[in-house]
Amino acid sequence: MFDNKNKPKGLKRIMLASLNSYRAIEWLFHNESAFKQELLLLVVAIPLTFRFDISVAQQVILIVAILFIMFTEILNTAIEAVVDRIGLDIHPLSGLAKDLGSAAVLLSIFIASGIWFAILL
C-alpha cells in the first residue's frame, strides 16, 4: 500500500527524483536507438543554431523543438514499457497504444520540422 506520509520531501525528494530521471535517460541511451538518434540530432542542432543569423529567442525555439521530439520519444517508450509489462501477447489494444505513441513521435517530428522551416526560411 502507498504510504503518503513517509514520502521523501524537500531536497531529498528532488535528489531521488533526479537520480531516477538520470537512470531513465541512461537506460534510454543504452536501449533505444531512436533516442540516440534524437540525441545526436540535438548535439548537431545546438552548434548549428549559432551559424544562422537569428535571434537568441529563435535559437532557443529551434533547440526546444528538438527537445520536444525527445520528450515525445520518452513518453512513447514509457507507453511501450507499460504495454509490455502487462503482457507480450498480441492484442489489438496493445498494438493501438504502441501505434498511438509512435504517431505522437511522428507528429512531434512534423512540428519540429515546421518550426525549423518557419524560422530558417
Side-chain angles (χ1 to χ4, degrees):
M1 186 169 145
F2 183 72
D3 184 5
N4 195 30
K5 292 182 181 179
N6 290 322
K7 283 176 41 175
K9 292 178 180 45
L11 289 177
K12 182 176 182 181
R13 185 196 63 76
I14 293 169
M15 181 59 120
L16 290 173
S18 298
L19 290 172
N20 290 337
S21 297
Y22 174 78
R23 188 178 71 240
I25 290 170
E26 185 177 40
W27 184 92
L28 283 162
F29 182 77
H30 291 294
N31 295 286
E32 283 294 319
S33 60
F35 183 80
K36 282 191 263 191
Q37 292 168 343
E38 293 152 0
L39 186 59
L40 177 61
L41 179 63
L42 180 67
V43 168
V44 170
I46 290 173
L48 187 62
T49 63
F50 289 95
R51 299 191 50 95
F52 303 125
D53 185 24
I54 58 176
S55 70
V56 173
Q58 289 172 317
Q59 282 182 288
V60 169
I61 291 168
L62 292 177
I63 292 166
V64 168
I66 305 299
L67 290 170
F68 179 62
I69 296 171
M70 296 175 74
F71 169 79
T72 311
E73 185 67 50
I74 292 169
L75 292 179
N76 180 45
T77 302
I79 290 167
E80 290 175 351
V82 169
V83 168
D84 290 346
R85 166 64 175 89
I86 292 169
L88 296 177
D89 54 313
I90 296 174
H91 189 281
L93 290 176
S94 297
L96 177 61
K98 289 184 175 191
D99 291 347
L100 291 169
S102 180
V105 173
L106 181 61
L107 183 59
S108 73
I109 292 169
F110 288 157
I111 291 168
S113 299
I115 290 169
W116 274 73
F117 282 120
I119 288 177
L120 298 180
L121 298 177

